[in-house]
Amino acid sequence: MADKDDDSDIGVVLETRPKTQRPPMYKVMLLNDDYTPMEFVVHVLERFFGLSHAQAFEIMLTVHKKGLAVVGVFSYEIAETKVAQVMDFAQRHEHPLQCTMEKE
């Protein structure tokens, strides 16, 4: 005689939790040019990226020697803001300094 209490049609419902992905991060880079003074680049790095004078000087030298350097990695909104701040500041001081961002 079949037992009415067998587990044949009882299913276990597992909650599937969607995996939360980290938002993509963006590299902010400074590009070299032949006109922007090195001191100005150091000032920008200290002011907008919170770097010490020594760190800013090192990154400025990397930009100068290699043509570009990654200044930091941020969420999209922060990267976009930093690029806009640097570009605006450079334009106001009549320097052609370029700052860009790209997905990491």
Side-chain angles (χ1 to χ4, degrees), residues 17-30:
R17 195 180 288 165
K19 270 192 177 168
T20 51
Q21 285 185 309
R22 287 176 50 119
M25 299 298 278
Y26 290 80
K27 297 185 286 192
V28 173
M29 297 168 291
L30 283 182

Side-chain angles (χ1 to χ4, degrees), residues 79-94:
E80 189 178 46
T81 300
K82 299 245 183 231
V83 168
Q85 287 174 326
V86 170
M87 295 296 290
D88 181 58
F89 190 71
Q91 283 177 334
R92 281 189 286 129
H93 289 83
E94 300 181 356

Side-chain angles (χ1 to χ4, degrees), residues 5-47:
D5 293 329
D6 74 8
D7 297 274
S8 61
D9 49 344
I10 294 176
V12 178
V13 176
L14 296 176
E15 253 184 71
T16 56
R17 195 180 288 165
K19 270 192 177 168
T20 51
Q21 285 185 309
R22 287 176 50 119
M25 299 298 278
Y26 290 80
K27 297 185 286 192
V28 173
M29 297 168 291
L30 283 182
L31 309 178
N32 190 41
D33 65 73
D34 294 330
Y35 305 101
T36 304
M38 292 179 175
E39 305 79 47
F40 183 79
V41 176
V42 170
H43 178 70
V44 163
L45 292 167
E46 291 171 344
R47 178 172 177 165

